[in-house]
């Protein structure tokens, strides 16, 4: 049909459509940015951690302080800080702002990376080893807390920026973006040691840690770019999962009390159940009293329309 004969056509609407044909809405751009920003952060963070964390960091600590106990304590503090921060960070992100909590993680990296680098430089030179060990432990705790923030609010914002049905593919991309760079870090270390005589000297370990700390700074910068308006709200997988859970819970409660549960609840019923209402029934303000003499209540028109088939061939069967 000609454009002017189509339903809902107006000249002003057509002009707006043509002007915005090549432009994305601010919400759409924000969702797109959140997804790709998560993938980039996963890649950079995975590469940075794989360069200095693990074998290189542990070897440096042992070469300087010559005891497994101090190595174990320094590494354990990282994991304990991660455990301690994970739940409060998630609660604060849900209570206030995910982007705000993520920026706190960026600030943590901005403090921990220079602190760790300074401690490593001084310890490699043999100066103030006791004080430098304390600084290494503090920096390890800060980096552990940062990991809890990255693995919590950042991924929560990532999940809420994905439309229903697309989460599996994008989470596979996220996994690949993290795993592949973590393989490159050890490759860089192997190449570096191969060109420097294939010996685990203290100076070489120090240099690799400096490279890793330098790569942590771009992660902090990228974390500052996250925004709360990237969340899709009701059309995201996370909210849809909550609605399905609420619907299932309401169905079980209705069946347990002897009520009628519609076979195929429509969208309005799902939303009503997610908001605390009953499935297939009337709203709270439209509820009617039970009939006297213990007789069964008549099903509502909506429930009857759902339960009864509309095809006459099915009705005959």
């Amino acid at each position: 049909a000609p454009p002017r004969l189509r339903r809902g056509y107006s000249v002003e609407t057509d002009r707006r459509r043509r002007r915005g044909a090549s432009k994305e809405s601010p919400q759409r751009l924000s969702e797109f940015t959140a997804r790709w920003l998560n993938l980039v952060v996963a890649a950079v963070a995975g590469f940075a951690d794989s360069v200095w964390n693990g074998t290189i960091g542990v070897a440096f600590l042992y070469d300087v302080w010559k005891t497994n106990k101090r190595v174990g304590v320094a590494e354990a503090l990282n994991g304990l800080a991660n455990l301690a921060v994970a739940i409060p960070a998630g609660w604060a992100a849900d209570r206030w702002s995910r982007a705000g909590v993520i920026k706190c993680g960026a600030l943590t990296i901005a403090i921990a990376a220079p602190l760790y680098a300074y401690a490593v430089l001084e310890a490699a030179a043999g100066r103030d080893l006791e004080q430098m060990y304390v600084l290494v432990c503090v920096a390890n705790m800060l980096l552990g807390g940062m990991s809890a923030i990255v693995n919590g609010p950042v991924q929560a914002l990532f999940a809420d920026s994905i439309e229903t049905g697309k989460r599996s593919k994008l989470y596979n991309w996220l996994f690949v973006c993290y795993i592949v760079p973590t393989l490159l870090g050890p490759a860089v270390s192997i190449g570096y040691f191969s060109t420097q005589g294939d010996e685990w000297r203290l100076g070489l370990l120090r240099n690799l840690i400096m490279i890793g700390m330098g790569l942590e700074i771009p992660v902090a910068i990228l974390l500052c770019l996250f925004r709360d308006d990237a969340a899709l709200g009701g059309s995201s997988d996370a909210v849809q999962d909550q609605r399905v859970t609420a619907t299932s819970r309401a169905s079980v409660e209705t069946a347990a009390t002897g009520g009628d549960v519609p076979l195929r609840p429509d969208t309005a019923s799902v939303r009503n159940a997610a908001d605390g209402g009953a499935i297939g029934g009337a709203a709270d303000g439209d509820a009617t009293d039970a009939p006297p003499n213990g007789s069964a209540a008549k099903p509502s028109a909506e429930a009857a329309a759902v339960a009864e088939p509309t095809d006459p061939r099915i009705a005959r069967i």
Side-chain angles (χ1 to χ4, degrees):
R4 296 181 182 276
L5 299 181
R6 294 174 186 169
R7 184 178 181 182
Y9 174 84
S10 69
V11 176
E12 184 63 26
T13 302
D14 187 63
R15 289 176 180 173
R16 291 177 183 174
R17 186 182 298 111
R18 292 183 180 182
R19 284 198 302 265
S22 60
K23 297 180 181 179
E24 295 280 1
S25 65
Q27 176 70 21
R28 184 67 179 173
L29 288 174
S30 183
E31 300 158 12
F32 180 81
T33 302
R35 297 173 196 172
W36 287 102
L37 188 57
N38 252 286
L39 299 179
V40 173
V41 168
V44 177
F47 181 60
D49 290 345
S50 65
V51 169
W52 72 272
N53 202 2
T55 305
I56 301 298
V58 168
F60 179 85
L61 294 177
Y62 184 80
D63 284 354
V64 173
W65 285 280
K66 307 296 183 182
T67 170
N68 289 324
K69 180 179 179 179
R70 293 208 169 188
V71 174
V73 170
E75 293 297 316
L77 288 174
N78 184 286
L80 290 175
N82 193 321
L83 179 64
V85 172
I87 295 178
W91 176 83
D94 293 336
R95 180 67 175 81
W96 289 292
S97 169
R98 290 174 181 173
V101 175
I102 293 170
K103 288 179 174 62
C104 291
L107 179 62
T108 303
I109 297 177
I111 297 173
L115 186 64
Y116 198 102
Y118 172 75
V120 167
L121 288 174
E122 292 295 306
R127 294 189 292 265
D128 300 327
L129 293 182
E130 294 301 320
Q131 296 180 9
M132 295 306 107
Y133 179 76
V134 173
L135 292 181
V136 166
C137 291
V138 172
N140 255 339
M141 292 177 64
L142 292 174
L143 292 172
M146 179 275 301
S147 298
I149 292 174
V150 171
N151 293 327
V154 171
Q155 292 198 18
L157 195 57
F158 177 71
D160 283 350
S161 67
I162 304 173
E163 297 95 340
T164 301
K166 297 183 180 180
R167 183 186 289 184
S168 298
K169 179 178 70 175
L170 289 173
Y171 262 99
N172 283 334
W173 291 2
L174 183 67
F175 182 76
V176 171
C177 286
Y178 179 79
I179 289 297
V180 173
T182 58
L183 301 177
L184 297 177
V188 170
S189 300
I190 292 172
Y192 183 73
F193 281 117
S194 299
T195 58
Q196 299 297 324
D198 199 16
E199 295 181 6
W200 288 63
R201 297 193 300 270
L202 192 62
L204 301 182
L205 297 172
R206 175 202 61 201
N207 294 342
L208 285 173
I209 293 176
M210 292 299 104
I211 294 173
M213 290 298 109
L215 292 173
E216 296 287 355
I217 300 302
V219 178
I221 296 174
L222 291 171
L223 291 178
C224 294
L225 302 179
F226 283 95
R227 295 165 51 185
D228 286 324
D229 59 3
L232 289 174
S235 60
S236 68
D237 258 351
V239 177
Q240 293 292 334
D241 290 344
Q242 294 175 3
R243 287 180 176 174
V244 171
T245 302
T247 303
S248 301
R249 187 184 298 112
S251 300
V252 172
E253 292 175 355
T254 304
T257 57
D260 294 331
V261 182
L263 298 179
R264 298 189 304 273
D266 57 4
T267 304
S269 301
V270 173
R271 291 177 179 173
N272 187 27
D275 294 334
I279 300 178
D284 293 339
D286 299 333
T288 57
D289 296 331
N293 302 326
S295 58
K298 295 182 179 181
S300 63
E302 184 181 356
V306 175
E308 295 180 2
T310 57
D311 194 336
R313 292 174 297 177
I314 299 178
R316 286 198 300 270
I317 295 175

